[in-house]
């Protein structure tokens, strides 16, 4: 994943509420799978980098599974756990068989869930999960890179409180 994409995810995470964090995880999963696609082009069986990206996508699925709260709704969480486990099987199949269509199937399976959580996140009025996060502003500068971010906070304590 590029540094710019990582920074984008960091900014989204630091400003996200509980529901938006789930959307970010789905987006990270999709990004890792899309990143892995290059190693499977033209019938290739996957490069080491693409397999590492799929391992990271699998870690995102592990995180989604561990975030399920079975004490709230056992049936719903059980179904979500099954879906995430099946997606992990598809990712494993891609890594070991070299057929990228399995990873694409996992992305297509999670897309409607991502869209549903995105819709729900607009109704979630809880604040950001993280406190004490510096306000970030991006804009054009005179530097070579073109776009830089600036920290607008005056606070000396930059620790994140979740």
């Amino acid at each position: 994943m590029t540094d710019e994409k990582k920074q984008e995810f960091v900014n989204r995470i630091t400003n996200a509420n509980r529901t938006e964090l789930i959307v970010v995880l789905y987006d990270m999963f999709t990004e890792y799978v899309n990143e892995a696609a290059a190693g499977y082009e033209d019938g290739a069986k996957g490069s080491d980098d693409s397999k590492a990206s799929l391992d990271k996508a699998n870690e995102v699925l592990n995180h989604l599974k561990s975030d399920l709260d079975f004490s709230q709704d056992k049936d719903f969480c059980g179904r979500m756990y099954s879906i995430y486990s099946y997606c992990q099987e598809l990712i494993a199949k891609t890594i070991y068989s070299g057929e990228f269509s399995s990873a694409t199937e996992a992305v297509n399976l999670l897309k409607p869930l991502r869209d549903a959580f995105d819709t729900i996140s607009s109704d979630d009025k809880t604040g950001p999960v993280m406190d004490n996060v510096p306000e970030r502003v991006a804009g054009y500068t005179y530097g070579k890179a073109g776009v830089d971010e600036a920290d607008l906070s005056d606070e000396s304590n930059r620790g994140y409180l979740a």
Side-chain angles (χ1 to χ4, degrees):
M1 188 179 301
T2 64
D3 288 339
E4 291 84 15
K5 200 66 173 172
K6 287 178 187 177
Q7 187 62 42
E8 177 189 329
F9 282 126
V10 166
N11 289 337
R12 287 178 61 192
I13 289 168
T14 57
N15 296 309
N17 62 31
R18 296 175 302 167
T19 312
E20 290 168 341
L21 282 174
I22 303 299
V23 176
V24 172
L25 286 171
Y26 283 128
D27 290 345
M28 288 174 69
F29 173 80
T30 302
E31 181 67 25
Y32 282 129
V33 172
N34 290 341
E35 185 178 274
Y40 292 89
E41 291 175 350
D42 301 325
K45 296 296 183 185
S47 65
D48 289 340
D49 289 339
S50 61
K51 290 177 182 179
S53 293
L54 290 176
D55 285 337
K56 290 178 183 177
N58 195 40
E59 289 176 27
V60 171
L61 291 170
N62 279 331
H63 191 73
L64 286 166
K65 284 169 65 173
S66 68
D67 285 344
L68 294 171
D69 186 0
F70 283 88
S71 68
Q72 296 297 318
D73 189 344
K74 196 172 188 175
D75 292 335
F76 174 77
C77 289
R79 283 188 232 120
M80 295 299 286
Y81 191 90
S82 296
I83 291 169
Y84 297 149
S85 295
Y86 179 67
C87 288
Q88 286 183 308
E89 290 175 18
L90 292 171
I91 295 299
K93 182 178 178 183
T94 301
I95 292 171
Y96 295 112
S97 72
E99 296 177 19
F100 193 73
S101 60
S102 298
T104 304
E105 182 182 346
V107 170
N108 292 337
L109 184 62
L110 293 180
K111 174 116 177 65
L113 292 173
R114 184 249 180 242
D115 294 341
F117 275 99
D118 189 36
T119 302
I120 293 168
S121 71
S122 64
D123 295 334
D124 187 352
K125 301 301 181 204
T126 60
V129 174
M130 297 180 79
D131 294 321
N132 201 26
V133 177
E135 184 179 347
R136 308 291 293 183
V137 174
Y140 289 103
T141 64
Y142 295 107
K144 292 181 181 179
V147 178
D148 285 335
E149 292 187 351
D151 180 5
L152 296 180
S153 67
D154 293 333
E155 298 178 21
S156 61
N157 182 2
R158 299 219 10 172
Y160 296 116
L161 305 173

